[in-house]
Amino acid sequence: MIKAILFDVDDTLIDFSKLATPIHIKIAKKLKIKIPDKYHLNRLWGVTWKHIADKFWPNLDHNKIKQEILNEYKKHKFKPIPGAINALEKLKNNYILGIVSSKPRAALIFQLKQTKIPYKYFKLLYAAEDTPYNKPE
């Protein structure tokens, strides 16, 4: 008998790559650094941001790039995947719900609040800082 359901966040509950991919490309252009191609960038969502930065910008200051990207994220509004909130409403009373994500907890909670996905539905929020290993390790 299934007692719990664990969710990933990006492109499962939150429509992430639709905004994140163009934002990464925009910031790369702005900073005049290597512009990641959409195909390879989209295939990397789900791994840590450090892994993505190492892949596209191995010899650059990742903190500066990350800050620019985070500042750009704040100008936009992420949206829930259509039907996600309704599905969670139906599941919350019959199952223990949890989230397992490679995102830092603060970013995870910020995006759940922004999309109006009630994070109180989740008994477990397992974020990047909860494990010494992240994808792809």
Side-chain angles (χ1 to χ4, degrees):
M1 174 182 207
I2 297 173
K3 295 182 181 183
I5 301 173
L6 303 177
F7 292 90
D8 186 14
V9 176
D10 294 342
D11 297 324
T12 302
L13 296 175
I14 296 174
D15 197 357
F16 180 77
S17 60
K18 187 183 284 184
L19 272 179
T21 299
I23 285 172
H24 276 70
I25 292 169
K26 176 181 180 178
I27 296 305
K29 288 178 182 177
K30 176 182 173 184
L31 297 176
K32 297 180 172 46
I33 58 178
K34 178 183 175 185
I35 299 168
D37 67 90
K38 288 180 187 179
Y39 174 79
H40 287 100
L41 186 56
N42 284 333
R43 289 181 49 88
L44 287 173
W45 294 133
V47 300
T48 62
W49 192 85
K50 182 185 180 326
H51 183 80
I52 292 170
D54 286 343
K55 174 91 171 153
F56 291 111
W57 310 294
N59 300 316
L60 299 177
D61 179 2
H62 294 168
N63 290 327
K64 179 181 179 186
I65 300 166
K66 186 175 187 176
Q67 194 55 54
E68 289 283 341
I69 289 168
L70 291 174
N71 289 341
E72 189 65 27
Y73 278 168
K74 292 175 185 173
K75 298 176 188 176
H76 300 275
K77 186 169 186 217
F78 287 94
K79 296 179 180 174
I81 292 289
I85 295 174
N86 188 41
L88 293 170
E89 286 282 338
K90 291 178 180 178
L91 294 170
K92 72 180 171 100
N93 293 322
N94 299 311
Y95 300 95
I96 297 168
L97 302 181
I99 288 178
V100 178
S101 177
S102 60
K103 283 184 190 297
R105 183 176 310 285
L108 177 61
I109 291 172
F110 172 80
Q111 287 182 349
L112 289 170
K113 285 180 177 179
Q114 187 186 58
T115 57
K116 298 190 179 7
I117 294 173
Y119 69 94
K120 65 182 179 197
Y121 290 175
F122 300 98
K123 300 271 190 254
L124 168 77
L125 289 178
Y126 198 81
E129 53 268 55
D130 295 321
T131 178
Y133 302 103
N134 292 70
K135 293 184 270 181
E137 298 168 348

